[in-house]
Amino acid sequence: MTDQRPASGVLLYRRLLRYAAAYWPVFLVAVVAMAVYSTTDMLIARFMGELVETLKKSTSATTREAAGQFVSVPLYFVLLFLGRGVFGFLSTYGMSWIGRMTIYKLRREMFAHLVALPSRYYDRQTSGQLISKFTFNTEQVAQAVTSAVTTLIRDTLTALILLAYLFYLDVRLTLILLVFGPMIVLLLGYLSRRFRRISQRIQHSMGDVTSILQEAIEGQKVVKIFRGRDKEVAQFEKVNRANRNQNLKLMVTTAASVPLIQLLAAIPVSYIVYLLIQSDSSPGEVIAYMTAMLLILAPLKRLTSVNATLQKGIAAASGIFEVLDEKPEVDTGTLQAPVFSGRVDYQQVGFSYHGGRDPVLQDISFSIQPGQTVAIVGKSGSGKSSLVNLLPRFYDYTSGRILIDGHEITDYTLDSLRDRISIVSQQVTLFNDTIANNIAYGQLGEATRRQIVEAAEAAHVMEFVRGFPQGLDTEVGEGGNRLSGGQRQRVAIARAILKDAPILILDEATSALDAESKQWVHEGIEQLRRNRTTLVIAHQLSTIESADCILVLAQGRIVESGNHRELLQRNGIYANLYHNKFDEAPDPVQDP
Ligand SMILES: Nc1ncnc2c1ncn2[C@@H]1O[C@H](COP(=O)(O)OP(=O)(O)OP(=O)(O)O)[C@@H](O)[C@H]1O
Ligand SMILES: [Mg+2]
């Protein structure tokens, strides 16, 4: 969270208004409506003055004349409020419309931007903070654009018109009134800064609330079995309380600011009343002046509380712009990737998650010929996933080069590069949709039903889908949680088969699968590997044995490479891994 300097409030608001600027015709209508609406207050004051004059006269006039006057009074009143109603509606609805359009546009832009942000960004953010920006912050912006602006314009106009009327009635008295203006402005300035500071904290704490909530929902089983209820409740209590406290702080400021400002206004008002009574003005003039003066208090009051809304909106906008200002993935390549033959070269590649510090990969060099399979083995945390994630440019390497078909991968456009790469990752991602739609995800959406079924067939998805009443159209639930782990993997494999890309990345996760599921998954993978350049992070011996080349990774470096036989003969790290770690060591008799 960057600290907001007071000056940037204007800049932020201007940037925000740019989103609303496209709707200026509606704005114009609304402002005209507001202007008309604003004159009605002044008319009320004038009406009161005239009423008093009429009453004074009627005491001396005949009853008939007086009766005539009194018929027009209610009529005038009804007309006044009819106008107020119509123009009030036009201005309120017009401004709300602009507000909703602005939110809609902001959310659309935020989302489109979000999905274009690099993986690095997602590593830094909690999804709760992000979600809160989409839901809470945008609503606050809507408030600032809509009701705050309505009040701001309408009430400013009202106040100005009333002020002009006051000047018209009595210049000297009104000047006295105005002396107190600068004091109010100073107070408002102080309050603005405070409002914005607190609002930023509130928005941040809303993000915390969402984060904890989300983790508790997603991790509900862990919460249950490890008896995390108390811890979660305590954590939630903490952020919920922080949120409440900040909100209360804001309310104190809001609630105190209104009477404070009114008090500042009441002092000159009372003095003026005193002067008025002493002067030789007619009763009508006195009443008109006093009514106008009292009427000006209401818009002033709204103007002071509108500040809070406005500052909330500005603070919320700064959170939103933070997302929008994040740099999207670097996509400077101009080459349209052809259908690769599938030659991959890593040349002295180095990589770190923290911009150069703590290297995760160092001096990685190897080549894969088209159609070959490279198996990557190594201890957990040795950098296997990191290594393969560089190929589709989820992260950009910090040194060295990676080539596909002789061109550095950064030379290709991101889309065309990724179009040629298929992935089945360690953690399967399924969307809250049907199995068929999960297989034909994204660009694959154009696939025919037949192609989907073929892919599902090849990945052994059909085996379990046949048991479902809705077949391939069964909904999988959030994250695919209505499917078993092995079933999810097979859906992911079907998706990769359907993509039919020349380069394949497999991050095997065979844990927790029974022998039969393992077999299904394995067969799906074998199907997938055919005729493709494959990088596989392998745990299963059968996969490793059949690879054309095996890279052994340790602490981010390739420490051994060669095929299965060669590596066993070397009797080094691979041999050791082979004897101890792999899932299916075939010969348990071999003692170290
Ligand atoms: N998004 C990330 N941000 C920062 N560091 C990361 C990130 N992902 C992985 N790391 C670190 O990089 C190192 C290598 O992780 P990597 O995921 O490549 O290991 P791995 O060999 O795939 O392990 P496993 O077999 O357990 O999947 C680890 O020390 C890990 O802490
Ligand atoms: Mg991994």
Side-chain angles (χ1 to χ4, degrees):
M1 285 270 114
T2 46
D3 232 65
Q4 218 45 69
R5 265 152 280 123
S8 61
V10 180
L11 287 179
L12 280 168
Y13 201 67
R14 227 193 273 158
R15 184 166 171 193
L16 194 58
L17 283 184
R18 238 178 281 150
Y19 282 85
Y23 311 114
W24 66 267
V26 182
F27 184 68
L28 208 68
V29 172
V31 169
V32 169
M34 286 182 217
V36 177
Y37 178 93
S38 306
T39 54
T40 55
D41 267 12
M42 184 268 282
L43 291 178
I44 290 173
R46 229 188 76 183
F47 174 73
M48 292 301 282
E50 278 172 12
L51 188 65
V52 170
E53 293 298 324
T54 317
L55 282 171
K56 209 174 71 181
K57 265 187 258 161
S58 69
T59 45
S60 52
T62 65
T63 348
R64 261 192 93 199
E65 266 175 90
Q69 294 282 2
F70 282 113
V71 171
S72 64
V73 167
L75 205 66
Y76 184 82
F77 227 78
V78 168
L79 279 179
L80 201 62
F81 277 87
L82 183 70
R84 229 175 128 88
V86 170
F87 290 103
F89 170 82
L90 278 179
S91 57
T92 307
Y93 183 68
M95 290 310 292
S96 305
W97 188 85
I98 293 174
R100 293 332 295 183
M101 292 307 270
T102 306
I103 291 318
Y104 159 79
K105 208 152 79 169
L106 262 179
R107 281 199 181 131
R108 187 178 58 185
E109 196 171 306
M110 281 167 80
F111 194 81
H113 191 75
L114 185 74
V115 289
L117 288 177
S119 305
R120 236 174 245 286
Y121 178 74
Y122 291 88
D123 290 345
R124 274 193 279 123
Q125 294 286 322
T126 71
S127 43
Q129 286 288 359
L130 272 173
I131 290 169
S132 169
K133 280 181 184 170
F134 271 82
T135 52
F136 186 68
N137 284 33
T138 47
E139 285 304 329
Q140 296 213 307
V141 167
Q143 286 283 316
V145 174
T146 311
S147 60
V149 172
T150 310
T151 316
L152 203 63
I153 297 178
R154 202 155 71 183
D155 288 327
T156 309
L157 280 175
T158 309
L160 284 179
I161 291 173
L162 283 171
L163 196 67
Y165 184 59
L166 287 172
F167 266 117
Y168 162 78
L169 288 175
D170 195 318
V171 177
R172 195 177 54 96
L173 288 184
T174 312
L175 278 177
I176 296 173
L177 205 61
L178 273 190
V179 168
F180 284 77
M183 283 173 64
I184 296 182
V185 170
L186 277 181
L187 186 64
L188 275 180
Y190 164 76
L191 290 172
S192 296
R193 284 188 294 278
R194 196 175 150 83
F195 281 138
R196 196 153 68 226
R197 208 170 47 236
I198 301 174
S199 295
Q200 246 167 6
R201 279 188 225 134
I202 291 178
Q203 280 146 18
H204 199 77
S205 80
M206 260 328 276
D208 290 341
V209 169
T210 318
S211 284
I212 305 257
L213 183 64
Q214 204 188 9
E215 283 192 342
I217 293 170
E218 279 166 14
Q220 49 109 358
K221 285 181 189 146
V222 177
V223 172
K224 288 195 172 91
I225 201 69
F226 290 98
R227 271 240 242 143
R229 278 200 314 265
D230 293 344
K231 178 176 178 288
E232 291 301 320
V233 168
Q235 253 186 340
F236 191 79
E237 170 66 22
K238 206 169 118 194
V239 292
N240 197 19
R241 186 182 306 199
N243 185 268
R244 179 201 65 190
N245 289 349
Q246 293 300 333
N247 268 303
L248 285 178
K249 225 181 218 179
L250 189 73
M251 284 331 288
V252 163
T253 316
T254 312
S257 72
V258 174
L260 214 67
I261 288 171
Q262 286 190 325
L263 190 67
L264 268 182
I267 297 167
V269 167
S270 57
Y271 181 55
I272 283 163
V273 171
Y274 167 76
L275 290 179
L276 266 177
I277 294 167
Q278 298 223 318
S279 74
D280 51 0
S281 315
S282 74
E285 277 168 356
V286 172
I287 292 296
Y289 197 94
M290 282 185 56
T291 311
M293 218 162 45
L294 291 176
L295 280 177
I296 212 171
L297 286 180
L300 274 188
K301 174 187 160 177
R302 281 195 296 272
L303 279 174
T304 52
S305 54
V306 87
N307 194 26
T309 318
L310 217 53
Q311 298 309 326
K312 270 189 228 168
I314 290 175
S318 88
I320 289 173
F321 292 145
E322 247 171 48
V323 178
L324 287 176
D325 288 342
E326 279 293 328
K327 292 224 167 35
E329 286 184 295
V330 180
D331 187 10
T332 49
T334 48
L335 275 180
Q336 204 57 30
V339 178
F340 294 134
S341 65
R343 189 191 154 84
V344 174
D345 296 278
Y346 275 59
Q347 300 177 344
Q348 280 135 26
V349 172
F351 172 66
S352 132
Y353 283 101
H354 313 286
R357 287 177 295 114
D358 317 319
V360 169
L361 295 172
Q362 290 179 69
D363 200 24
I364 301 288
S365 298
F366 64 91
S367 298
I368 320 173
Q369 301 305 320
Q372 281 195 340
T373 296
V374 162
I376 301 157
V377 301
K379 285 191 184 137
S380 179
S382 56
K384 305 182 296 292
S385 298
S386 307
L387 186 143
V388 296
N389 278 341
L390 297 180
L391 199 59
R393 294 188 55 201
F394 290 147
Y395 296 89
D396 279 327
Y397 38 90
T398 21
S399 61
R401 300 199 310 162
I402 300 178
L403 312 179
I404 297 180
D405 282 9
H407 286 285
E408 189 163 4
I409 52 175
T410 47
D411 291 343
Y412 298 114
T413 65
L414 261 186
D415 280 344
S416 72
L417 171 73
R418 289 176 182 165
D419 278 350
R420 307 282 178 254
I421 300 173
S422 206
I423 291 191
V424 180
S425 59
Q426 204 165 12
Q427 285 145 350
V428 172
T429 303
L430 295 187
F431 298 93
N432 187 11
D433 205 336
T434 63
I435 294 177
N437 287 343
N438 264 295
I439 294 175
Y441 175 74
Q443 286 266 296
L444 304 173
E446 289 152 21
T448 64
R449 187 72 178 188
R450 232 189 98 178
Q451 290 172 310
I452 297 175
V453 172
E454 272 171 17
E457 206 71 75
H460 299 278
V461 168
M462 289 318 269
E463 262 85 17
F464 67 86
V465 156
R466 286 206 183 89
F468 297 162
Q470 276 150 319
L472 279 173
D473 296 317
T474 307
E475 295 277 342
V476 301
E478 191 180 75
N481 58 18
R482 277 180 234 152
L483 297 182
S484 77
Q487 289 170 342
R488 268 178 241 171
Q489 275 184 6
R490 282 185 269 171
V491 173
I493 291 170
R495 182 155 67 197
I497 290 177
L498 185 62
K499 183 160 180 186
D500 195 21
I503 295 175
L504 170 69
I505 294 171
L506 284 171
D507 206 337
E508 247 184 17
T510 48
S511 55
L513 291 190
D514 60 275
E516 199 189 334
S517 305
K518 227 179 223 176
Q519 191 55 31
W520 290 131
V521 169
H522 186 66
E523 277 178 27
I525 288 176
E526 285 307 307
Q527 176 82 16
L528 197 50
R529 269 173 52 186
R530 233 163 268 161
N531 306 319
R532 288 186 177 91
T533 303
T534 308
L535 285 91
V536 52
I537 296 172
H539 304 285
Q540 292 213 73
L541 187 66
S542 49
T543 316
I544 301 168
E545 267 179 334
S546 63
D548 298 291
C549 178
I550 300 163
L551 306 175
V552 184
L553 221 60
Q555 289 168 359
R557 289 172 186 275
I558 297 178
V559 287
E560 281 177 15
S561 66
N563 65 29
H564 179 67
R565 224 167 1 93
E566 289 164 1
L567 288 178
L568 274 192
Q569 272 167 9
R570 268 178 80 159
N571 208 14
I573 298 176
Y574 178 80
N576 190 31
L577 274 172
Y578 172 75
H579 295 312
N580 295 315
K581 290 269 167 57
F582 293 144
D583 286 356
E584 301 159 15
D587 199 354
V589 195
Q590 286 185 335
D591 263 326

